[in-house]
Amino acid sequence: MQHDEVIWQVIAHGHCSFRMKTVTQSFCKNEYNVTGLCNRSSCPLANSRYATIKEIQGECYLYMKTIERAHMPNRLWQRVKLKKNYAQALEQLDKHLEYWPQFLVHKNKQRLTKITQYLIRMRKLALKTKPKIMTMPARTEKREKRREAKAEVAARLDKSIENELLERLKSGTYNDIYNFPMKQFETALEGEAEAEEDLEDEEEDEEEEEEEVEFVEDYDDMENDLEDGSLGSVSEEDEDDEEDSDEEDEGSDEDAEESRRKSRKRAAGASAPSSSKKAAQQSRKKPKRPRGPVELEYEEEREDMRETARH
């Protein structure tokens, strides 16, 4: 037969494996203790009628012990699942602990409130994302860098091999198509199609472009003439010839002969400095293009004038 007072006297003055003493007071480590303190009213071993609340995987349960089940340790505690709603859970406590001591009713309600509050805090913290700070040793970082470098080299090698195989396929090295990967084969075909389209677009642009016609002035001949000084001599000789022709028409044969002599003297005087200038220029510069047409016309004019003078 169970006697609560005898059990408490043994526990209080003797040894208890659940007791933990401190400087101020003693605590109880038994999982069924409703307050966590080691005293007569809170001890689950020294009370044949006892009730407490436990939390298992986010669910609250009401545990109750009675003297009628003291002889059956496997069925000593009766468990009742409480609802998640706090108000409905309090109604369940009032229903099941209606005739129980007021101390136990009050302490169970306090324990239910505390458990409900920390469950709410747990749910809120689970929703928040917190950065996880981890240390990276220098040896691990070096190993990761080496692996990344090797992976890059392998990727470049694979890419070069793929390009070489595609070039061989395009050049017709392989007569028939073997079991090539369809994805790479399709990308190669798409690349060829794009290249052909680009060539066609360039040809169309060239056809659409109109021919540009430009007129450019040629100053080379004029400069050469000015350097030679032949234009001046030709113009002077032309003027003399015109004057001689006028004198021949108006005057007599004597005047014509005098005019011819004067013209010959002037031509000889003009040709002497011009020949010296040409020799100096030829010694300094490269030979210029011959002015054949102008000199021929001048010679022809002189011959015509001589023939007319003789007649």
Side-chain angles (χ1 to χ4, degrees), residues 215-229:
F215 297 95
V216 181
E217 296 180 0
D218 189 6
Y219 295 100
D220 295 337
D221 295 338
M222 297 291 291
E223 290 177 358
N224 295 330
D225 295 338
L226 291 173
E227 290 177 358
D228 294 340

Side-chain angles (χ1 to χ4, degrees), residues 191-220:
E192 290 180 356
E194 290 178 358
E196 292 177 358
E197 290 178 358
D198 294 337
L199 290 174
E200 291 177 359
D201 294 338
E202 290 178 359
E203 291 176 358
E204 291 177 358
D205 294 337
E206 290 177 358
E207 292 176 358
E208 291 176 358
E209 288 180 357
E210 297 181 357
E211 294 182 355
E212 295 182 359
V213 180
E214 294 182 359
F215 297 95
V216 181
E217 296 180 0
D218 189 6
Y219 295 100
D220 295 337

Side-chain angles (χ1 to χ4, degrees), residues 64-78:
M64 295 176 290
K65 182 178 72 168
T66 58
I67 189 72
E68 290 81 10
R69 294 190 299 273
H71 64 286
M72 293 183 294
N74 59 346
R75 301 182 62 185
L76 183 62
W77 293 93
Q78 180 186 357

Side-chain angles (χ1 to χ4, degrees), residues 32 44 53 82 98 120 140 154 158 160 171 182 185 218-220 255 263 265 271-272 274 277 304 307 311:
Y32 292 102
I53 294 174
L82 300 177
E98 185 176 359
I120 292 170
T140 305
D158 293 341
S160 62
S171 62
M182 292 303 297
F185 185 69
D218 189 6
Y219 295 100
D220 295 337
D255 296 334
S263 63
K265 289 179 181 180
S271 62
S274 64
K277 289 180 180 178
D304 294 337
E307 288 177 1
H311 293 296

